[in-house]
Protein backbone atom coordinates (compact mmCIF):
# COMPACT_ATOMS: atom_id res chain seq x y z
CA UNK A 1 0.00 0.00 0.00
CA UNK A 2 1.40 3.39 -1.00
CA UNK A 3 1.32 5.82 1.91
CA UNK A 4 0.94 9.60 1.65
CA UNK A 5 3.22 11.78 3.81
CA UNK A 6 0.31 12.28 6.19
CA UNK A 7 -0.24 8.54 6.49
CA UNK A 8 3.47 7.94 7.06
CA UNK A 9 3.38 10.56 9.81
CA UNK A 10 0.54 8.69 11.55
CA UNK A 11 2.53 5.47 11.38
CA UNK A 12 5.71 6.94 12.82
CA UNK A 13 3.89 8.95 15.50
CA UNK A 14 1.93 5.87 16.50
CA UNK A 15 5.08 3.82 16.92
CA UNK A 16 6.65 6.48 19.16
CA UNK A 17 3.45 7.08 21.17
CA UNK A 18 2.61 3.42 21.77
CA UNK A 19 6.18 2.61 22.83
CA UNK A 20 5.72 4.51 26.10
CA UNK A 21 1.90 4.41 26.38
CA UNK A 22 0.62 3.51 29.84
CA UNK A 23 -2.96 4.85 29.85
CA UNK A 24 -4.74 1.76 28.61
CA UNK A 25 -6.61 1.43 31.91
CA UNK A 26 -8.64 4.64 31.56
CA UNK A 27 -12.43 4.37 31.84
CA UNK A 28 -14.78 5.38 29.04
CA UNK A 29 -16.63 8.19 30.90
CA UNK A 30 -14.50 11.34 31.30
CA UNK A 31 -13.06 11.30 34.83
CA UNK A 32 -13.56 15.04 35.44
CA UNK A 33 -17.10 14.95 34.04
CA UNK A 34 -16.93 17.88 31.63
CA UNK A 35 -16.85 18.57 27.96
CA UNK A 36 -14.98 21.20 25.99
CA UNK A 37 -16.54 22.46 22.77
CA UNK A 38 -14.07 24.28 20.56
CA UNK A 39 -13.22 25.01 16.94
CA UNK A 40 -11.44 22.63 14.60
CA UNK A 41 -8.87 25.36 13.90
CA UNK A 42 -5.41 23.82 13.53
CA UNK A 43 -3.87 26.45 15.83
CA UNK A 44 -5.75 25.28 18.93
CA UNK A 45 -4.22 22.60 21.16
CA UNK A 46 -7.06 21.98 23.65
CA UNK A 47 -5.07 19.68 25.92
CA UNK A 48 -2.24 22.17 26.36
CA UNK A 49 -4.20 25.43 26.19
CA UNK A 50 -7.09 24.36 28.45
CA UNK A 51 -5.31 21.92 30.78
CA UNK A 52 -6.93 18.64 29.76
CA UNK A 53 -5.22 15.38 30.71
CA UNK A 54 -5.98 12.17 28.84
CA UNK A 55 -9.27 10.74 30.11
CA UNK A 56 -10.38 14.00 31.81
CA UNK A 57 -12.94 15.40 29.40
CA UNK A 58 -14.69 15.10 26.07
CA UNK A 59 -13.38 17.47 23.42
CA UNK A 60 -15.93 18.20 20.72
CA UNK A 61 -14.60 20.12 17.73
CA UNK A 62 -16.26 21.53 14.66
CA UNK A 63 -15.98 24.58 12.42
CA UNK A 64 -16.55 27.58 14.70
CA UNK A 65 -17.24 25.65 17.93
CA UNK A 66 -20.93 25.70 17.00
CA UNK A 67 -23.24 24.56 19.79
CA UNK A 68 -25.99 23.84 17.24
CA UNK A 69 -23.68 21.61 15.22
CA UNK A 70 -22.38 19.92 18.38
CA UNK A 71 -25.75 19.19 19.99
CA UNK A 72 -25.76 15.49 19.10
CA UNK A 73 -22.37 14.96 20.74
CA UNK A 74 -23.31 17.13 23.74
CA UNK A 75 -26.36 14.97 24.48
CA UNK A 76 -24.33 11.76 24.15
CA UNK A 77 -21.62 13.21 26.41
CA UNK A 78 -24.10 14.20 29.11
CA UNK A 79 -26.79 11.53 28.98
CA UNK A 80 -24.75 8.47 28.09
CA UNK A 81 -21.35 9.33 29.54
CA UNK A 82 -22.13 11.49 32.54
CA UNK A 83 -20.56 14.89 31.86
CA UNK A 84 -21.97 17.75 33.95
CA UNK A 85 -20.24 20.89 32.70
CA UNK A 86 -19.61 22.61 29.36
CA UNK A 87 -16.64 24.84 28.52
CA UNK A 88 -17.30 26.49 25.15
CA UNK A 89 -14.29 28.14 23.50
CA UNK A 90 -14.35 30.09 20.24
CA UNK A 91 -11.25 31.95 19.08
CA UNK A 92 -9.81 35.04 17.45
CA UNK A 93 -9.10 34.80 13.75
CA UNK A 94 -11.82 32.18 13.24
CA UNK A 95 -12.64 31.36 9.64
CA UNK A 96 -16.33 31.54 10.52
CA UNK A 97 -15.98 35.32 10.90
CA UNK A 98 -14.97 35.67 7.26
CA UNK A 99 -17.98 34.57 5.18
CA UNK A 100 -21.76 34.36 5.01
CA UNK A 101 -23.91 31.40 4.03
CA UNK A 102 -24.47 32.87 0.57
CA UNK A 103 -20.69 33.06 0.03
CA UNK A 104 -20.22 29.41 0.98
CA UNK A 105 -23.10 28.36 -1.28
CA UNK A 106 -21.52 30.29 -4.15
CA UNK A 107 -18.09 28.75 -3.57
CA UNK A 108 -19.60 25.27 -3.59
CA UNK A 109 -21.40 26.08 -6.83
CA UNK A 110 -18.19 27.30 -8.48
CA UNK A 111 -15.93 24.53 -7.23
CA UNK A 112 -18.21 21.49 -7.06
CA UNK A 113 -20.89 22.32 -9.61
CA UNK A 114 -24.66 22.61 -9.84
CA UNK A 115 -25.51 19.14 -8.52
CA UNK A 116 -23.50 19.78 -5.35
CA UNK A 117 -25.10 23.19 -4.95
CA UNK A 118 -28.55 21.62 -5.37
CA UNK A 119 -27.71 19.10 -2.65
CA UNK A 120 -26.79 21.93 -0.27
CA UNK A 121 -30.17 23.52 -0.97
CA UNK A 122 -32.02 20.22 -0.49
CA UNK A 123 -30.26 19.74 2.82
CA UNK A 124 -30.84 23.40 3.76
CA UNK A 125 -27.31 23.28 5.12
CA UNK A 126 -26.49 26.20 7.39
CA UNK A 127 -22.73 26.75 7.61
CA UNK A 128 -23.34 28.65 10.86
CA UNK A 129 -20.92 31.53 10.26
CA UNK A 130 -20.94 34.46 12.71
CA UNK A 131 -19.97 38.12 12.26
CA UNK A 132 -19.09 38.94 15.90
CA UNK A 133 -16.92 36.71 18.04
CA UNK A 134 -17.96 37.54 21.60
CA UNK A 135 -21.63 37.78 20.66
CA UNK A 136 -21.37 34.35 19.03
CA UNK A 137 -19.94 32.92 22.27
CA UNK A 138 -22.79 34.44 24.28
CA UNK A 139 -25.41 33.30 21.72
CA UNK A 140 -24.14 29.71 21.77
CA UNK A 141 -24.05 29.62 25.58
CA UNK A 142 -27.63 30.95 25.52
CA UNK A 143 -28.64 28.32 23.00
CA UNK A 144 -27.37 25.56 25.29
CA UNK A 145 -29.00 27.10 28.37
CA UNK A 146 -32.35 27.45 26.57
CA UNK A 147 -32.31 23.96 25.07
CA UNK A 148 -34.50 21.44 26.85
CA UNK A 149 -31.91 18.85 25.83
CA UNK A 150 -29.37 20.37 28.22
CA UNK A 151 -30.41 20.16 31.91
CA UNK A 152 -30.42 23.35 34.02
CA UNK A 153 -27.94 21.71 36.40
CA UNK A 154 -25.18 21.81 33.74
CA UNK A 155 -22.62 24.58 34.37
CA UNK A 156 -21.88 26.39 31.09
CA UNK A 157 -19.16 28.97 30.49
CA UNK A 158 -18.10 30.74 27.29
CA UNK A 159 -14.53 31.73 26.42
CA UNK A 160 -12.34 33.20 23.69
CA UNK A 161 -8.94 31.68 22.90
CA UNK A 162 -6.50 34.16 21.38
CA UNK A 163 -4.47 32.50 18.64
CA UNK A 164 -2.07 35.47 18.81
CA UNK A 165 -1.16 35.10 22.50
CA UNK A 166 -2.21 31.61 23.53
CA UNK A 167 -4.44 33.10 26.23
CA UNK A 168 -7.99 31.97 26.96
CA UNK A 169 -10.28 34.57 28.50
CA UNK A 170 -13.78 34.17 29.84
CA UNK A 171 -16.66 35.95 28.09
CA UNK A 172 -19.71 34.60 29.95
ZN1 LIG B 1 -12.35 28.64 14.11
Amino acid sequence: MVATPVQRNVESASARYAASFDKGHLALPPSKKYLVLTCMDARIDPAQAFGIELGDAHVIRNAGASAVDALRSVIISQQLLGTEEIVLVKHTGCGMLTFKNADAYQIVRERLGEAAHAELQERKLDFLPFPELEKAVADDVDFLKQSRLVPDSIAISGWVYEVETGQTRRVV
Side-chain angles (χ1 to χ4, degrees):
M1 216 184 323
V2 179
T4 67
V6 169
Q7 292 160 357
R8 283 199 298 277
N9 183 57
V10 173
E11 287 170 353
S12 60
S14 172
R16 284 193 304 276
Y17 188 64
S20 60
F21 186 76
D22 61 359
K23 298 282 168 51
H25 61 284
L26 293 174
L28 170 59
S31 61
K32 293 193 176 167
K33 298 181 188 271
Y34 71 104
L35 74 85
V36 174
L37 169 55
T38 194
C39 185
M40 67 186 189
D41 193 288
R43 297 167 293 182
I44 303 172
D45 181 343
Q48 295 287 333
F50 314 142
I52 307 166
E53 298 290 335
L54 199 65
D56 277 359
H58 284 142
V59 179
I60 303 168
R61 302 187 72 161
N62 61 37
S66 163
V68 174
D69 195 14
L71 192 57
R72 182 186 67 95
S73 300
V74 168
I75 296 166
I76 290 170
S77 175
Q78 294 176 345
Q79 301 310 315
L80 279 68
L81 293 164
T83 61
E84 298 168 345
E85 178 159 0
I86 299 174
V87 174
L88 187 154
V89 191
K90 295 184 192 277
H91 67 99
T92 56
C94 188
M96 304 305 282
L97 292 158
T98 65
F99 69 94
K100 293 188 169 63
N101 262 321
D103 304 322
Y105 270 67
Q106 183 59 25
I107 289 166
V108 167
R109 175 177 252 157
E110 288 166 12
R111 296 177 59 100
L112 301 178
E114 288 303 325
H117 185 258
E119 182 171 338
L120 273 189
Q121 288 177 320
E122 283 160 23
R123 294 179 181 277
K124 298 184 171 63
L125 194 78
D126 185 347
F127 286 94
L128 302 165
F130 46 82
E132 260 186 80
L133 181 56
E134 301 202 355
K135 181 176 186 306
V137 172
D139 286 350
D140 271 21
V141 167
D142 261 0
F143 167 80
L144 292 167
K145 287 186 170 171
Q146 296 301 322
S147 174
R148 285 161 294 174
L149 293 164
V150 177
D152 291 341
S153 59
I154 300 288
I156 308 174
S157 53
W159 308 70
V160 165
Y161 172 76
E162 298 179 349
V163 295
E164 300 84 1
T165 65
Q167 288 181 346
T168 307
R169 56 182 162 81
R170 186 157 180 185
V171 175
V172 286

PDB file of all heavy atoms in Angstrom, residues 37-40 60-74 88-90 94 96 126-130 136 140-141 143-144:
ATOM      1  N   LEU A  37     -16.113  22.298  24.164  1.00  0.00           N
ATOM      2  CA  LEU A  37     -16.536  22.456  22.773  1.00  0.00           C
ATOM      3  C   LEU A  37     -15.700  23.576  22.174  1.00  0.00           C
ATOM      4  O   LEU A  37     -15.742  24.711  22.646  1.00  0.00           O
ATOM      5  CB  LEU A  37     -18.032  22.802  22.717  1.00  0.00           C
ATOM      6  CG  LEU A  37     -18.582  23.259  21.356  1.00  0.00           C
ATOM      7  CD1 LEU A  37     -18.294  22.247  20.262  1.00  0.00           C
ATOM      8  CD2 LEU A  37     -20.076  23.518  21.471  1.00  0.00           C
ATOM      9  N   THR A  38     -14.902  23.249  21.174  1.00  0.00           N
ATOM     10  CA  THR A  38     -14.067  24.275  20.562  1.00  0.00           C
ATOM     11  C   THR A  38     -14.006  24.092  19.049  1.00  0.00           C
ATOM     12  O   THR A  38     -14.615  23.180  18.487  1.00  0.00           O
ATOM     13  CB  THR A  38     -12.667  24.314  21.212  1.00  0.00           C
ATOM     14  OG1 THR A  38     -12.000  25.519  20.827  1.00  0.00           O
ATOM     15  CG2 THR A  38     -11.821  23.119  20.789  1.00  0.00           C
ATOM     16  N   CYS A  39     -13.296  25.006  18.410  1.00  0.00           N
ATOM     17  CA  CYS A  39     -13.224  25.013  16.945  1.00  0.00           C
ATOM     18  C   CYS A  39     -12.211  23.976  16.449  1.00  0.00           C
ATOM     19  O   CYS A  39     -11.286  23.590  17.160  1.00  0.00           O
ATOM     20  CB  CYS A  39     -12.831  26.405  16.456  1.00  0.00           C
ATOM     21  SG  CYS A  39     -12.836  26.579  14.650  1.00  0.00           S
ATOM     22  N   MET A  40     -12.381  23.569  15.204  1.00  0.00           N
ATOM     23  CA  MET A  40     -11.438  22.625  14.602  1.00  0.00           C
ATOM     24  C   MET A  40     -10.138  23.301  14.166  1.00  0.00           C
ATOM     25  O   MET A  40      -9.225  22.627  13.679  1.00  0.00           O
ATOM     26  CB  MET A  40     -12.091  21.960  13.383  1.00  0.00           C
ATOM     27  CG  MET A  40     -12.358  22.890  12.217  1.00  0.00           C
ATOM     28  SD  MET A  40     -13.297  21.990  10.951  1.00  0.00           S
ATOM     29  CE  MET A  40     -13.246  23.202   9.605  1.00  0.00           C
ATOM     30  N   ILE A  60     -15.126  18.206  21.932  1.00  0.00           N
ATOM     31  CA  ILE A  60     -15.935  18.204  20.718  1.00  0.00           C
ATOM     32  C   ILE A  60     -15.445  19.353  19.854  1.00  0.00           C
ATOM     33  O   ILE A  60     -15.339  20.493  20.329  1.00  0.00           O
ATOM     34  CB  ILE A  60     -17.433  18.406  21.047  1.00  0.00           C
ATOM     35  CG1 ILE A  60     -17.922  17.322  22.012  1.00  0.00           C
ATOM     36  CG2 ILE A  60     -18.267  18.427  19.769  1.00  0.00           C
ATOM     37  CD1 ILE A  60     -19.296  17.624  22.610  1.00  0.00           C
ATOM     38  N   ARG A  61     -15.124  19.077  18.613  1.00  0.00           N
ATOM     39  CA  ARG A  61     -14.604  20.122  17.734  1.00  0.00           C
ATOM     40  C   ARG A  61     -15.392  20.158  16.436  1.00  0.00           C
ATOM     41  O   ARG A  61     -15.727  19.118  15.876  1.00  0.00           O
ATOM     42  CB  ARG A  61     -13.113  19.887  17.429  1.00  0.00           C
ATOM     43  CG  ARG A  61     -12.265  19.832  18.687  1.00  0.00           C
ATOM     44  CD  ARG A  61     -10.782  19.764  18.379  1.00  0.00           C
ATOM     45  NE  ARG A  61     -10.264  21.023  17.870  1.00  0.00           N
ATOM     46  CZ  ARG A  61      -8.964  21.347  17.866  1.00  0.00           C
ATOM     47  NH1 ARG A  61      -8.078  20.494  18.352  1.00  0.00           N
ATOM     48  NH2 ARG A  61      -8.561  22.507  17.390  1.00  0.00           N
ATOM     49  N   ASN A  62     -15.668  21.362  15.980  1.00  0.00           N
ATOM     50  CA  ASN A  62     -16.258  21.531  14.657  1.00  0.00           C
ATOM     51  C   ASN A  62     -15.881  22.929  14.157  1.00  0.00           C
ATOM     52  O   ASN A  62     -15.205  23.687  14.868  1.00  0.00           O
ATOM     53  CB  ASN A  62     -17.785  21.313  14.703  1.00  0.00           C
ATOM     54  CG  ASN A  62     -18.521  22.295  15.603  1.00  0.00           C
ATOM     55  OD1 ASN A  62     -18.169  23.474  15.680  1.00  0.00           O
ATOM     56  ND2 ASN A  62     -19.556  21.826  16.285  1.00  0.00           N
ATOM     57  N   ALA A  63     -16.295  23.267  12.961  1.00  0.00           N
ATOM     58  CA  ALA A  63     -15.982  24.583  12.418  1.00  0.00           C
ATOM     59  C   ALA A  63     -16.714  25.647  13.226  1.00  0.00           C
ATOM     60  O   ALA A  63     -17.943  25.680  13.245  1.00  0.00           O
ATOM     61  CB  ALA A  63     -16.384  24.655  10.948  1.00  0.00           C
ATOM     62  N   GLY A  64     -15.975  26.476  13.943  1.00  0.00           N
ATOM     63  CA  GLY A  64     -16.547  27.577  14.700  1.00  0.00           C
ATOM     64  C   GLY A  64     -16.979  27.259  16.115  1.00  0.00           C
ATOM     65  O   GLY A  64     -17.526  28.098  16.803  1.00  0.00           O
ATOM     66  N   ALA A  65     -16.763  26.037  16.598  1.00  0.00           N
ATOM     67  CA  ALA A  65     -17.243  25.647  17.930  1.00  0.00           C
ATOM     68  C   ALA A  65     -18.741  25.892  18.051  1.00  0.00           C
ATOM     69  O   ALA A  65     -19.222  26.443  19.028  1.00  0.00           O
ATOM     70  CB  ALA A  65     -16.481  26.387  19.045  1.00  0.00           C
ATOM     71  N   SER A  66     -19.482  25.469  17.044  1.00  0.00           N
ATOM     72  CA  SER A  66     -20.925  25.701  17.004  1.00  0.00           C
ATOM     73  C   SER A  66     -21.664  24.763  17.952  1.00  0.00           C
ATOM     74  O   SER A  66     -21.565  23.539  17.852  1.00  0.00           O
ATOM     75  CB  SER A  66     -21.447  25.471  15.582  1.00  0.00           C
ATOM     76  OG  SER A  66     -22.852  25.298  15.607  1.00  0.00           O
ATOM     77  N   ALA A  67     -22.453  25.357  18.867  1.00  0.00           N
ATOM     78  CA  ALA A  67     -23.245  24.557  19.793  1.00  0.00           C
ATOM     79  C   ALA A  67     -24.366  23.833  19.056  1.00  0.00           C
ATOM     80  O   ALA A  67     -24.719  22.705  19.402  1.00  0.00           O
ATOM     81  CB  ALA A  67     -23.813  25.439  20.898  1.00  0.00           C
ATOM     82  N   VAL A  68     -24.926  24.479  18.034  1.00  0.00           N
ATOM     83  CA  VAL A  68     -25.986  23.844  17.241  1.00  0.00           C
ATOM     84  C   VAL A  68     -25.440  22.596  16.560  1.00  0.00           C
ATOM     85  O   VAL A  68     -26.032  21.517  16.630  1.00  0.00           O
ATOM     86  CB  VAL A  68     -26.536  24.835  16.189  1.00  0.00           C
ATOM     87  CG1 VAL A  68     -27.525  24.140  15.253  1.00  0.00           C
ATOM     88  CG2 VAL A  68     -27.190  26.027  16.875  1.00  0.00           C
ATOM     89  N   ASP A  69     -24.313  22.737  15.928  1.00  0.00           N
ATOM     90  CA  ASP A  69     -23.679  21.614  15.223  1.00  0.00           C
ATOM     91  C   ASP A  69     -23.265  20.508  16.195  1.00  0.00           C
ATOM     92  O   ASP A  69     -23.267  19.325  15.855  1.00  0.00           O
ATOM     93  CB  ASP A  69     -22.445  22.145  14.470  1.00  0.00           C
ATOM     94  CG  ASP A  69     -21.918  21.163  13.427  1.00  0.00           C
ATOM     95  OD1 ASP A  69     -22.627  20.204  13.087  1.00  0.00           O
ATOM     96  OD2 ASP A  69     -20.791  21.368  12.961  1.00  0.00           O
ATOM     97  N   ALA A  70     -22.920  20.881  17.411  1.00  0.00           N
ATOM     98  CA  ALA A  70     -22.379  19.915  18.378  1.00  0.00           C
ATOM     99  C   ALA A  70     -23.444  19.237  19.230  1.00  0.00           C
ATOM    100  O   ALA A  70     -23.125  18.356  20.028  1.00  0.00           O
ATOM    101  CB  ALA A  70     -21.385  20.626  19.305  1.00  0.00           C
ATOM    102  N   LEU A  71     -24.701  19.629  19.057  1.00  0.00           N
ATOM    103  CA  LEU A  71     -25.748  19.190  19.990  1.00  0.00           C
ATOM    104  C   LEU A  71     -25.817  17.667  20.152  1.00  0.00           C
ATOM    105  O   LEU A  71     -25.941  17.155  21.264  1.00  0.00           O
ATOM    106  CB  LEU A  71     -27.110  19.750  19.553  1.00  0.00           C
ATOM    107  CG  LEU A  71     -28.238  19.612  20.573  1.00  0.00           C
ATOM    108  CD1 LEU A  71     -27.878  20.285  21.903  1.00  0.00           C
ATOM    109  CD2 LEU A  71     -29.534  20.202  20.020  1.00  0.00           C
ATOM    110  N   ARG A  72     -25.708  16.957  19.038  1.00  0.00           N
ATOM    111  CA  ARG A  72     -25.765  15.493  19.098  1.00  0.00           C
ATOM    112  C   ARG A  72     -24.688  14.950  20.049  1.00  0.00           C
ATOM    113  O   ARG A  72     -24.960  14.136  20.937  1.00  0.00           O
ATOM    114  CB  ARG A  72     -25.552  14.937  17.687  1.00  0.00           C
ATOM    115  CG  ARG A  72     -25.626  13.431  17.558  1.00  0.00           C
ATOM    116  CD  ARG A  72     -25.240  13.020  16.139  1.00  0.00           C
ATOM    117  NE  ARG A  72     -23.828  13.300  15.876  1.00  0.00           N
ATOM    118  CZ  ARG A  72     -22.854  12.415  16.022  1.00  0.00           C
ATOM    119  NH1 ARG A  72     -23.130  11.202  16.441  1.00  0.00           N
ATOM    120  NH2 ARG A  72     -21.604  12.741  15.784  1.00  0.00           N
ATOM    121  N   SER A  73     -23.469  15.442  19.895  1.00  0.00           N
ATOM    122  CA  SER A  73     -22.368  14.965  20.735  1.00  0.00           C
ATOM    123  C   SER A  73     -22.530  15.418  22.183  1.00  0.00           C
ATOM    124  O   SER A  73     -22.160  14.696  23.112  1.00  0.00           O
ATOM    125  CB  SER A  73     -21.035  15.478  20.185  1.00  0.00           C
ATOM    126  OG  SER A  73     -20.830  15.009  18.875  1.00  0.00           O
ATOM    127  N   VAL A  74     -23.089  16.615  22.382  1.00  0.00           N
ATOM    128  CA  VAL A  74     -23.306  17.131  23.742  1.00  0.00           C
ATOM    129  C   VAL A  74     -24.286  16.217  24.490  1.00  0.00           C
ATOM    130  O   VAL A  74     -24.059  15.862  25.654  1.00  0.00           O
ATOM    131  CB  VAL A  74     -23.834  18.586  23.707  1.00  0.00           C
ATOM    132  CG1 VAL A  74     -24.343  19.020  25.078  1.00  0.00           C
ATOM    133  CG2 VAL A  74     -22.746  19.534  23.209  1.00  0.00           C
ATOM    134  N   LEU A  88     -17.197  26.201  26.582  1.00  0.00           N
ATOM    135  CA  LEU A  88     -17.305  26.491  25.150  1.00  0.00           C
ATOM    136  C   LEU A  88     -16.257  27.537  24.783  1.00  0.00           C
ATOM    137  O   LEU A  88     -16.211  28.608  25.389  1.00  0.00           O
ATOM    138  CB  LEU A  88     -18.720  26.995  24.848  1.00  0.00           C
ATOM    139  CG  LEU A  88     -19.109  27.200  23.379  1.00  0.00           C
ATOM    140  CD1 LEU A  88     -20.614  27.058  23.212  1.00  0.00           C
ATOM    141  CD2 LEU A  88     -18.670  28.545  22.851  1.00  0.00           C
ATOM    142  N   VAL A  89     -15.390  27.226  23.833  1.00  0.00           N
ATOM    143  CA  VAL A  89     -14.286  28.136  23.496  1.00  0.00           C
ATOM    144  C   VAL A  89     -14.251  28.421  22.001  1.00  0.00           C
ATOM    145  O   VAL A  89     -13.934  27.544  21.192  1.00  0.00           O
ATOM    146  CB  VAL A  89     -12.918  27.544  23.903  1.00  0.00           C
ATOM    147  CG1 VAL A  89     -11.832  28.619  23.793  1.00  0.00           C
ATOM    148  CG2 VAL A  89     -12.943  26.942  25.303  1.00  0.00           C
ATOM    149  N   LYS A  90     -14.586  29.645  21.618  1.00  0.00           N
ATOM    150  CA  LYS A  90     -14.349  30.091  20.241  1.00  0.00           C
ATOM    151  C   LYS A  90     -13.000  30.817  20.246  1.00  0.00           C
ATOM    152  O   LYS A  90     -12.334  30.891  21.273  1.00  0.00           O
ATOM    153  CB  LYS A  90     -15.502  30.976  19.755  1.00  0.00           C
ATOM    154  CG  LYS A  90     -16.842  30.213  19.653  1.00  0.00           C
ATOM    155  CD  LYS A  90     -17.941  31.086  19.085  1.00  0.00           C
ATOM    156  CE  LYS A  90     -19.316  30.475  19.226  1.00  0.00           C
ATOM    157  NZ  LYS A  90     -19.668  29.498  18.179  1.00  0.00           N
ATOM    158  N   CYS A  94     -11.063  33.358  13.699  1.00  0.00           N
ATOM    159  CA  CYS A  94     -11.818  32.180  13.242  1.00  0.00           C
ATOM    160  C   CYS A  94     -12.287  32.381  11.802  1.00  0.00           C
ATOM    161  O   CYS A  94     -12.758  33.446  11.429  1.00  0.00           O
ATOM    162  CB  CYS A  94     -13.018  31.919  14.145  1.00  0.00           C
ATOM    163  SG  CYS A  94     -13.855  30.355  13.770  1.00  0.00           S
ATOM    164  N   MET A  96     -14.879  31.340  10.569  1.00  0.00           N
ATOM    165  CA  MET A  96     -16.332  31.541  10.522  1.00  0.00           C
ATOM    166  C   MET A  96     -16.722  33.014  10.558  1.00  0.00           C
ATOM    167  O   MET A  96     -17.871  33.362  10.352  1.00  0.00           O
ATOM    168  CB  MET A  96     -17.002  30.791  11.681  1.00  0.00           C
ATOM    169  CG  MET A  96     -16.674  29.320  11.724  1.00  0.00           C
ATOM    170  SD  MET A  96     -17.040  28.451  10.188  1.00  0.00           S
ATOM    171  CE  MET A  96     -18.809  28.272  10.345  1.00  0.00           C
ATOM    172  N   ASP A 126     -26.904  24.912   6.840  1.00  0.00           N
ATOM    173  CA  ASP A 126     -26.487  26.204   7.386  1.00  0.00           C
ATOM    174  C   ASP A 126     -25.031  26.053   7.827  1.00  0.00           C
ATOM    175  O   ASP A 126     -24.724  25.214   8.676  1.00  0.00           O
ATOM    176  CB  ASP A 126     -27.383  26.558   8.580  1.00  0.00           C
ATOM    177  CG  ASP A 126     -27.092  27.948   9.125  1.00  0.00           C
ATOM    178  OD1 ASP A 126     -26.052  28.546   8.761  1.00  0.00           O
ATOM    179  OD2 ASP A 126     -27.907  28.432   9.942  1.00  0.00           O
ATOM    180  N   PHE A 127     -24.146  26.852   7.252  1.00  0.00           N
ATOM    181  CA  PHE A 127     -22.730  26.751   7.612  1.00  0.00           C
ATOM    182  C   PHE A 127     -22.435  27.396   8.965  1.00  0.00           C
ATOM    183  O   PHE A 127     -21.331  27.287   9.475  1.00  0.00           O
ATOM    184  CB  PHE A 127     -21.856  27.351   6.507  1.00  0.00           C
ATOM    185  CG  PHE A 127     -21.783  26.471   5.284  1.00  0.00           C
ATOM    186  CD1 PHE A 127     -22.650  26.674   4.212  1.00  0.00           C
ATOM    187  CD2 PHE A 127     -20.880  25.424   5.213  1.00  0.00           C
ATOM    188  CE1 PHE A 127     -22.599  25.855   3.090  1.00  0.00           C
ATOM    189  CE2 PHE A 127     -20.831  24.600   4.099  1.00  0.00           C
ATOM    190  CZ  PHE A 127     -21.685  24.810   3.036  1.00  0.00           C
ATOM    191  N   LEU A 128     -23.427  28.069   9.513  1.00  0.00           N
ATOM    192  CA  LEU A 128     -23.342  28.652  10.862  1.00  0.00           C
ATOM    193  C   LEU A 128     -22.177  29.621  11.041  1.00  0.00           C
ATOM    194  O   LEU A 128     -21.479  29.589  12.068  1.00  0.00           O
ATOM    195  CB  LEU A 128     -23.275  27.533  11.917  1.00  0.00           C
ATOM    196  CG  LEU A 128     -24.470  26.553  11.885  1.00  0.00           C
ATOM    197  CD1 LEU A 128     -24.163  25.298  12.683  1.00  0.00           C
ATOM    198  CD2 LEU A 128     -25.724  27.230  12.415  1.00  0.00           C
ATOM    199  N   PRO A 129     -21.939  30.503  10.069  1.00  0.00           N
ATOM    200  CA  PRO A 129     -20.916  31.530  10.261  1.00  0.00           C
ATOM    201  C   PRO A 129     -21.427  32.575  11.246  1.00  0.00           C
ATOM    202  O   PRO A 129     -22.627  32.601  11.555  1.00  0.00           O
ATOM    203  CB  PRO A 129     -20.758  32.147   8.863  1.00  0.00           C
ATOM    204  CG  PRO A 129     -22.098  31.970   8.223  1.00  0.00           C
ATOM    205  CD  PRO A 129     -22.658  30.680   8.779  1.00  0.00           C
ATOM    206  N   PHE A 130     -20.513  33.381  11.788  1.00  0.00           N
ATOM    207  CA  PHE A 130     -20.938  34.460  12.710  1.00  0.00           C
ATOM    208  C   PHE A 130     -20.077  35.692  12.480  1.00  0.00           C
ATOM    209  O   PHE A 130     -18.879  35.582  12.207  1.00  0.00           O
ATOM    210  CB  PHE A 130     -20.881  33.993  14.162  1.00  0.00           C
ATOM    211  CG  PHE A 130     -19.616  33.262  14.557  1.00  0.00           C
ATOM    212  CD1 PHE A 130     -18.468  33.952  14.906  1.00  0.00           C
ATOM    213  CD2 PHE A 130     -19.585  31.878  14.590  1.00  0.00           C
ATOM    214  CE1 PHE A 130     -17.313  33.279  15.290  1.00  0.00           C
ATOM    215  CE2 PHE A 130     -18.429  31.185  14.960  1.00  0.00           C
ATOM    216  CZ  PHE A 130     -17.292  31.894  15.309  1.00  0.00           C
ATOM    217  N   ALA A 136     -21.146  35.745  19.423  1.00  0.00           N
ATOM    218  CA  ALA A 136     -21.370  34.347  19.029  1.00  0.00           C
ATOM    219  C   ALA A 136     -21.151  33.417  20.217  1.00  0.00           C
ATOM    220  O   ALA A 136     -21.877  32.430  20.389  1.00  0.00           O
ATOM    221  CB  ALA A 136     -20.452  33.968  17.875  1.00  0.00           C
ATOM    222  N   ASP A 140     -24.215  31.170  21.686  1.00  0.00           N
ATOM    223  CA  ASP A 140     -24.135  29.708  21.774  1.00  0.00           C
ATOM    224  C   ASP A 140     -24.337  29.223  23.209  1.00  0.00           C
ATOM    225  O   ASP A 140     -24.969  28.186  23.438  1.00  0.00           O
ATOM    226  CB  ASP A 140     -22.793  29.206  21.227  1.00  0.00           C
ATOM    227  CG  ASP A 140     -22.867  28.949  19.725  1.00  0.00           C
ATOM    228  OD1 ASP A 140     -23.770  29.517  19.074  1.00  0.00           O
ATOM    229  OD2 ASP A 140     -22.029  28.184  19.203  1.00  0.00           O
ATOM    230  N   VAL A 141     -23.815  29.977  24.176  1.00  0.00           N
ATOM    231  CA  VAL A 141     -24.055  29.621  25.584  1.00  0.00           C
ATOM    232  C   VAL A 141     -25.552  29.719  25.875  1.00  0.00           C
ATOM    233  O   VAL A 141     -26.143  28.838  26.502  1.00  0.00           O
ATOM    234  CB  VAL A 141     -23.236  30.522  26.536  1.00  0.00           C
ATOM    235  CG1 VAL A 141     -23.716  30.363  27.976  1.00  0.00           C
ATOM    236  CG2 VAL A 141     -21.752  30.178  26.427  1.00  0.00           C
ATOM    237  N   PHE A 143     -27.986  29.424  23.695  1.00  0.00           N
ATOM    238  CA  PHE A 143     -28.644  28.321  23.000  1.00  0.00           C
ATOM    239  C   PHE A 143     -28.635  27.057  23.865  1.00  0.00           C
ATOM    240  O   PHE A 143     -29.652  26.369  24.009  1.00  0.00           O
ATOM    241  CB  PHE A 143     -27.950  28.050  21.657  1.00  0.00           C
ATOM    242  CG  PHE A 143     -28.353  26.753  21.013  1.00  0.00           C
ATOM    243  CD1 PHE A 143     -29.548  26.643  20.311  1.00  0.00           C
ATOM    244  CD2 PHE A 143     -27.540  25.626  21.125  1.00  0.00           C
ATOM    245  CE1 PHE A 143     -29.925  25.433  19.729  1.00  0.00           C
ATOM    246  CE2 PHE A 143     -27.915  24.415  20.549  1.00  0.00           C
ATOM    247  CZ  PHE A 143     -29.109  24.321  19.851  1.00  0.00           C
ATOM    248  N   LEU A 144     -27.482  26.758  24.463  1.00  0.00           N
ATOM    249  CA  LEU A 144     -27.366  25.560  25.294  1.00  0.00           C
ATOM    250  C   LEU A 144     -28.210  25.689  26.562  1.00  0.00           C
ATOM    251  O   LEU A 144     -28.834  24.727  27.009  1.00  0.00           O
ATOM    252  CB  LEU A 144     -25.897  25.307  25.639  1.00  0.00           C
ATOM    253  CG  LEU A 144     -25.009  24.901  24.451  1.00  0.00           C
ATOM    254  CD1 LEU A 144     -23.528  24.991  24.836  1.00  0.00           C
ATOM    255  CD2 LEU A 144     -25.345  23.496  23.963  1.00  0.00           C
TER     256      LEU A 144
END
